[in-house]
């Protein structure tokens, strides 16, 4: 099944392992702790806007971390975009 899309594919981020399709686990973990580097934060959030699977992964990671409440607002915003 091919879906034409005007959105560009994720750009490779220098210095980071390739993440075909999904965010690397250590990104998810760092994001959940609020420690993801600003260099890649935009990349991660751009992916999270389109990928419910990774939102769920971040959500699960966040539930075990100290910044749970902060993700609720993010998830609401993302859920609104994803529908
Ligand atoms: Zn993903």
């Amino acid at each position: 099944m091919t879906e034409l899309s005007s959105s560009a594919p994720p750009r490779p981020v220098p210095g980071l392992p390739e993440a075909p399709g999904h965010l690397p686990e250590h990104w998810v973990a760092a994001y959940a702790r609020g420690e993801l580097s600003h260099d890649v934060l935009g990349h991660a959030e751009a992916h999270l806007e389109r990928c419910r699977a990774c939102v769920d992964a971040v959500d699960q990671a966040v539930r075990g971390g100290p910044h749970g409440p902060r993700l609720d607002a993010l998830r609401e915003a993302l859920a609104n975009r994803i529908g």
Side-chain angles (χ1 to χ4, degrees):
M1 205 158 108
T2 303
E3 189 176 331
L4 293 179
S5 172
S6 59
S7 60
R11 290 181 205 165
V13 178
L16 288 164
E18 292 201 13
H22 293 297
L23 303 181
E25 229 175 278
H26 66 278
W27 281 30
V28 170
Y31 189 91
R33 292 194 303 268
E35 295 172 355
L36 191 60
S37 162
H38 276 246
D39 290 342
V40 300
L41 186 59
H43 181 83
E45 290 191 332
H47 180 83
L48 288 169
E49 286 178 5
R50 298 192 300 259
C51 183
R52 175 148 265 164
C54 282
V55 170
D56 287 344
V58 170
D59 183 52
Q60 285 185 19
V62 144
R63 285 175 197 280
H67 298 301
R70 292 182 57 193
L71 190 69
D72 287 346
L74 169 65
R75 287 190 69 228
E76 275 185 36
L78 292 172
N80 288 336
R81 293 197 195 197
I82 294 171

